[in-house]
Amino acid sequence: MNEKIAFLPAFIQSYFIAAGVLLGGAMIGALGAFLSGEQPLTAMYRFAGDLRIWAVVAAIGGTFDTFYMVERGLFFGETRDIVRQFLLILSAMGGAQTGVTIITWLTQEHISS
């Protein structure tokens, strides 16, 4: 995340970016599955699981920025940066999990055997 953004807006944006990446990717992927003759709801459920890590990476703005912040925290004693990055990653993981939960509710794949 950009350092110029205050923490609380970045925290909220991280959550919703991850949820949006997951929901949008799964739904557009389901459209592609439908056009290619596959079952769209099953594909949507599968895509939601596959996109989880990419939603988190997209929400935190890529991995290099995060590694740089963690490095600064470890080697230069700026623990505030480590805690901030941890909370942003946690927020992104929460958004991705929310997206997976919505897709699971929408597709009802957890009910089928």
Side-chain angles (χ1 to χ4, degrees), residues 38-96:
E38 297 178 27
Q39 297 174 342
L41 294 180
T42 302
M44 184 186 299
Y45 181 77
R46 189 180 71 242
F47 292 148
D50 293 344
L51 287 173
R52 183 179 288 160
I53 188 67
W54 295 109
V56 172
V57 170
I60 62 173
T63 57
F64 295 117
D65 204 29
T66 302
F67 286 136
Y68 175 70
M69 296 295 253
V70 171
E71 178 189 29
R72 261 186 19 192
L74 289 175
F75 297 128
F76 299 115
E78 297 180 25
T79 56
R80 182 176 172 199
D81 289 337
I82 292 176
V83 172
R84 181 177 182 204
Q85 287 303 313
F86 175 74
L87 290 175
L88 288 175
I89 291 169
L90 193 64
S91 174
M93 290 174 70

